[in-house]
Amino acid sequence: MKLVLASTSAYRRTLLERLTIPFAVARPDTDETPLPGETPAATAERLAAEKARAVARDWPDALIIGSDQVAHMGNEVFGKPGTEARAIEQLQRMSGQTVIFHTALALLNTRSGHIQVEGVPTSVRFRTLGDDEIRRYVAKERPLDCAGSAKSEGLGIALLDALSGDDPTALIGLPLIALCRMLRAEGVDLP
């Protein structure tokens, strides 16, 4: 069976390459709007599954990986900022706070229709940040395409006091420990 990553994220692609399994990449056209009353965790898990299903018709004999991440403090959600101004605002709001990055993973077997979905939360405590250091960080790393405006795999690690979670790759966007477990359940041999 072919392995397909239903994401155009360079971060997810780089993480998946660690497993040294050949895979294809497909763009899922998915509306990422949260449903009314939906919790951030439920949003991430629903979207991970929807992304996998969105490309299924083009891959009838494949294992399709979908993933989504929602960063939140309580019910306040921090998406991809898109602009420097919004990234600065997000980081100012998260300064001195603990933010949960809920990364959801789905693995869809298009042959059987079986889907596995798992959420992997990571608790991130931000240092108290000054406005100048936030602006310098955003100018240097340009974290405009990642939820919460901080790249822990890069310079963004300097913004943090602590991380707590079961899988360090979850925070970057693709929980590899959970993915390996799911792939093994589908009969994929991993080292």
Side-chain angles (χ1 to χ4, degrees):
M1 291 181 84
K2 185 77 173 168
L3 185 63
V4 179
L5 177 62
S7 174
T8 56
S9 163
Y11 311 112
R12 290 187 179 116
R13 189 177 314 130
T14 298
L15 285 168
L16 187 54
E17 287 171 350
R18 290 186 189 182
L19 300 183
T20 68
I21 301 170
F23 65 94
V25 173
R27 175 186 291 278
D29 289 320
T30 307
D31 179 358
E32 296 190 16
T33 306
L35 299 176
E38 189 174 46
T39 66
T43 299
E45 291 171 22
R46 176 181 55 82
L47 290 175
E50 285 184 8
K51 288 175 180 181
R53 289 184 180 112
V55 302
R57 69 180 167 273
D58 296 328
W59 301 91
D61 192 31
L63 293 172
I64 302 177
I65 302 164
S67 189
D68 193 73
Q69 185 178 74
V70 178
H72 63 96
M73 286 189 318
N75 289 326
E76 184 177 2
V77 173
F78 301 98
K80 297 174 185 173
T83 67
E84 284 189 26
R86 285 180 51 197
I88 290 167
E89 288 171 14
Q90 282 187 356
L91 291 169
Q92 287 170 332
R93 179 68 186 99
M94 294 185 294
S95 175
Q97 303 294 318
T98 297
V99 179
I100 303 300
F101 287 75
H102 192 88
T103 307
L105 177 68
L107 184 66
L108 172 63
N109 180 326
T110 58
R111 185 186 301 162
S112 69
H114 180 253
I115 189 165
Q116 301 173 67
V117 180
E118 186 174 334
V120 182
T122 304
S123 177
V124 177
R125 191 171 69 235
F126 283 80
R127 291 185 307 98
T128 300
L129 305 169
D131 289 346
D132 286 342
E133 72 181 315
I134 289 172
R135 283 189 202 84
R136 283 192 310 272
Y137 168 72
V138 170
K140 284 182 184 179
E141 191 145 73
R142 306 216 17 98
L144 310 182
D145 61 348
C146 59
S149 304
K151 297 180 184 180
S152 65
E153 69 276 21
L155 183 58
I157 198 73
L159 305 177
L160 310 180
D161 263 341
L163 301 171
S164 177
D166 292 338
D167 185 341
T169 59
L171 187 56
I172 303 170
L174 188 66
L176 291 181
I177 293 172
L179 179 58
C180 288
R181 186 169 43 250
M182 291 177 175
L183 289 170
R184 285 187 194 99
E186 289 292 342
V188 176
D189 291 326
L190 296 169

